[in-house]
Amino acid sequence: MLPKIYVEDIFNQKCAEGDSVELKGWVYNKRSSGKVKFLLVRDGTGTIQGVLFKGEASENAFSVFEGLNQETSVVVTGKLAKAPKAPGGWELQVSSVEQVGASVDYPITPKEHGPAFLLDHRHLWIRSKRQHAILRIRSEVVRASREFFDQQGFVGFDAPIFTPNACEGTTDLFEVDYFDEAKAYLSQSGQLYGEAGAFAFGKAYVFGPTFRAEKSKTRRHLTEFWMLEPEVAYMNIEETMSLAERMITHIVDSVLKNRARELETLERDVEILKKIKAPFARMSYDEASDILVKESKDGFKAGDSFGGGDETILASKNSAPTFIYGFPMNQKPFYTKEDPARPGYSLSCDLLAPEGYGEIIGGAQREDDEVKLLQKIKEHDLDEKVFSWYLDLRRFGSVPHAGFGVGIERCTAWISGVPHVRECIPFPRMLNRLSP
Ligand code: 4AD
Ligand code: MG
């Protein structure tokens, strides 16, 4: 039977003092102080302190308590009491404790462990307070971003993972055998399919896992990450930036409202997040370039693409995220539309998060002219045949259109104030990590 009450319900004031409840969960920790026993119980939604007093808890509860270890699964009953000093402001005055499943020598103890050890035990690590908080924030980031688009009439439009073509360049493609037929590539981005969706539904969004065979070992790179990619017919680059900043403020507001406890667990400075309001600053590539020529520590020259350190410098100019727009054409993928007013430059934008989190969104207006697009496909040395369907979109009622992709883990890392994206996905895939 499902539990009737979760710890989260108690913390959200859905119960009253003196209520008798039954909690089903796991032992987070236990300790004794004289005759009183303390049992921290987590049920997946939160952790509450149980207290066993002589005379109130059963004899059996005391003897079961003695055999409990970290992560033993338990069913606990008792009465709720307000306890301002206890985590969450409540405690459970225990009457009975029943062991469900044993846990002997749980490998993750309250002492310090190195990141490799913790990542090897990721299947258990996710039960720890900090990881638990981060993944609950991630879930809220996904929920809020989908909600934002759903509320505005976007159609959720799932793109395939096996694809015959590259989207973001051929250097970091994962190739797989696709029966006897051909090679397939794991999707780097659902965007090209999202464009078909935009022409069919007006406004659509793709949400799914994306894959990059990135050899980069940085705190911002995963080989498998999740991306939400809206695509809209008749949208231009200014409207794209406006859509992106409205989405980001909706996500931040939702996390502040619905994940306050988790932000507190992570000791995130919420005052910084509360200041994030639209409109965000917009800086052209040229303005950014002028700043970096003076301030970059990595020897930036005009025309270069930004390194991680450069992004940190640019984004530090504002407390909210900063848009950089108008990148040189040679820095952007084949589908990016050239600015008719500025040959050599593109109608593109990146959104850089403050506090050193770097690019969280990449977006652009798409080339909508068949001849120019075909030329770009050739210039980028891509196989024209596999893009025939994509060119059809320019042959049958092409319109100006644009979209962007927000990286869920980068966004979660920034909002949570967690330095490394590997903690922002349940099971990270990186250069040297394929398990668990
Ligand atoms: O800038 P990117 O490569 O853009 C695209 O894929 C476009 N097709 C999106 C679109 O217009 N529909 O990736 C978009 C975002 C980045 O800003 C970043 O947040 C995230 O995806 N991202 C990564 N996150 C983790 N690990 C990686 N290796 C990432 N590469 C990109
Ligand atoms: Mg990008």
Side-chain angles (χ1 to χ4, degrees):
M1 263 239 303
L2 276 179
K4 290 208 177 66
I5 290 287
Y6 283 94
V7 172
E8 189 177 31
D9 302 326
I10 299 168
F11 290 170
N12 288 342
Q13 318 297 332
K14 295 201 177 126
C15 301
E17 211 162 10
D19 280 1
S20 289
V21 296
E22 179 182 68
L23 290 177
K24 299 180 170 182
W26 296 261
V27 173
Y28 197 72
N29 213 338
K30 70 170 193 181
R31 69 188 164 86
S32 300
S33 167
K35 287 186 180 156
V36 185
K37 313 283 179 196
F38 293 94
L39 188 62
L40 273 178
V41 179
R42 61 165 200 91
D43 74 346
T45 70
T47 304
I48 192 166
Q49 173 169 289
V51 198
L52 283 73
F53 293 111
K54 270 267 175 279
E56 285 181 34
S58 67
E59 284 302 319
N60 186 55
F62 279 96
S63 73
V64 172
F65 178 89
E66 292 311 317
L68 298 177
N69 295 317
Q70 195 184 345
E71 292 304 319
T72 304
S73 41
V74 285
V75 175
V76 184
T77 63
K79 272 199 171 62
L80 288 174
K82 290 211 165 132
K85 283 191 190 141
W90 288 88
E91 69 180 19
L92 183 69
Q93 295 175 347
V94 176
S95 36
S96 75
V97 184
E98 182 199 323
Q99 174 169 326
V100 180
S103 166
V104 179
D105 295 333
Y106 186 70
I108 303 177
T109 56
K111 71 165 203 216
E112 286 277 308
H113 299 281
F117 177 88
L118 291 169
L119 284 163
D120 285 343
H121 293 85
R122 184 65 175 164
H123 51 295
L124 302 175
W125 190 24
I126 53 178
R127 302 181 189 188
S128 303
K129 237 181 219 163
R130 200 179 134 79
Q131 299 308 311
H132 181 260
I134 298 168
L135 293 180
R136 278 176 58 95
I137 290 175
R138 180 189 201 274
S139 161
E140 179 64 14
V141 167
V142 172
R143 191 203 65 75
S145 49
R146 294 192 74 136
E147 173 184 74
F148 176 81
F149 292 109
D150 290 340
Q151 279 175 349
Q152 300 188 52
F154 281 65
V155 168
F157 185 77
D158 299 324
I161 304 298
F162 287 132
T163 60
N165 45 255
C167 179
E168 298 297 308
T170 50
T171 52
D172 57 6
L173 276 175
F174 278 110
E175 194 179 287
V176 285
D177 289 329
Y178 199 72
F179 305 114
D180 300 331
E181 295 284 306
K183 295 281 177 207
Y185 305 101
L186 300 187
S187 177
Q188 296 167 306
S189 155
Q191 177 203 313
L192 307 186
Y193 296 96
E195 290 179 54
F199 285 15
F201 301 98
K203 41 192 176 175
Y205 70 87
V206 175
F207 177 58
T210 46
F211 305 85
R212 307 273 170 104
E214 300 250 19
K215 291 273 160 60
S216 27
K217 263 173 95 176
T218 81
R219 61 193 187 86
R220 297 173 182 175
H221 287 93
L222 295 165
T223 52
E224 177 177 326
F225 64 96
W226 287 68
M227 188 159 41
L228 195 143
E229 301 179 85
E231 192 71 27
V232 184
Y234 294 102
M235 183 165 76
N236 65 26
I237 191 69
E238 280 78 28
E239 292 161 332
T240 303
M241 289 191 270
S242 154
L243 185 68
E245 71 195 358
R246 280 183 283 128
M247 178 200 70
I248 290 290
T249 51
H250 179 73
I251 296 173
V252 171
D253 290 347
S254 300
V255 173
L256 281 169
K257 177 160 168 265
N258 301 322
R259 290 293 184 262
R261 253 189 309 277
E262 287 75 8
L263 291 169
E264 197 185 322
T265 298
L266 298 172
E267 296 176 5
R268 179 65 165 123
D269 184 347
V270 289
E271 294 312 312
I272 295 181
L273 296 178
K274 283 182 188 159
K275 285 192 201 115
I276 292 167
K277 298 272 175 266
F280 299 163
R282 287 153 170 71
M283 188 190 282
S284 71
Y285 172 85
D286 288 344
E287 287 170 78
S289 173
D290 288 346
I291 292 175
L292 292 177
V293 165
K294 288 187 213 112
E295 297 181 28
S296 173
K297 292 179 182 65
D298 307 318
F300 181 92
K301 296 184 302 307
D304 285 355
S305 49
F306 308 144
D310 298 331
E311 289 181 350
T312 300
I313 293 173
L314 297 172
S316 70
K317 308 285 171 198
N318 303 293
S319 53
T322 304
F323 281 110
I324 313 289
Y325 64 91
F327 288 86
M329 280 298 279
N330 62 13
Q331 290 186 20
K332 289 288 165 189
F334 78 97
Y335 54 72
T336 314
K337 190 173 172 65
E338 193 163 26
D339 185 348
R342 266 197 96 198
Y345 290 81
S346 62
L347 295 172
S348 57
C349 63
D350 279 3
L351 184 66
L352 309 182
E355 303 173 79
Y357 286 93
E359 181 197 324
I360 51 172
I361 286 180
Q365 219 172 299
R366 323 303 187 187
E367 182 50 70
D368 46 47
D369 178 85
E370 182 193 349
V371 175
K372 287 184 188 153
L373 185 59
L374 185 57
Q375 190 191 329
K376 288 285 171 227
I377 288 172
K378 288 181 178 152
E379 276 172 25
H380 282 78
D381 232 1
L382 298 167
D383 182 0
E384 194 183 317
K385 284 197 299 296
V386 294
F387 286 100
S388 153
W389 70 270
Y390 185 61
L391 286 158
D392 266 357
L393 303 176
R394 280 69 181 169
R395 293 182 189 122
F396 303 104
S398 187
V399 296
H401 64 290
F404 64 83
V406 55
I408 296 298
E409 293 75 21
R410 293 232 190 130
C411 197
T412 303
W414 161 55
I415 295 175
S416 307
V418 169
H420 206 301
V421 288
R422 69 187 171 203
E423 293 180 39
C424 298
I425 186 164
F427 294 95
R429 296 290 171 255
M430 295 176 288
L431 190 49
N432 297 318
R433 180 155 302 273
L434 183 59
S435 72

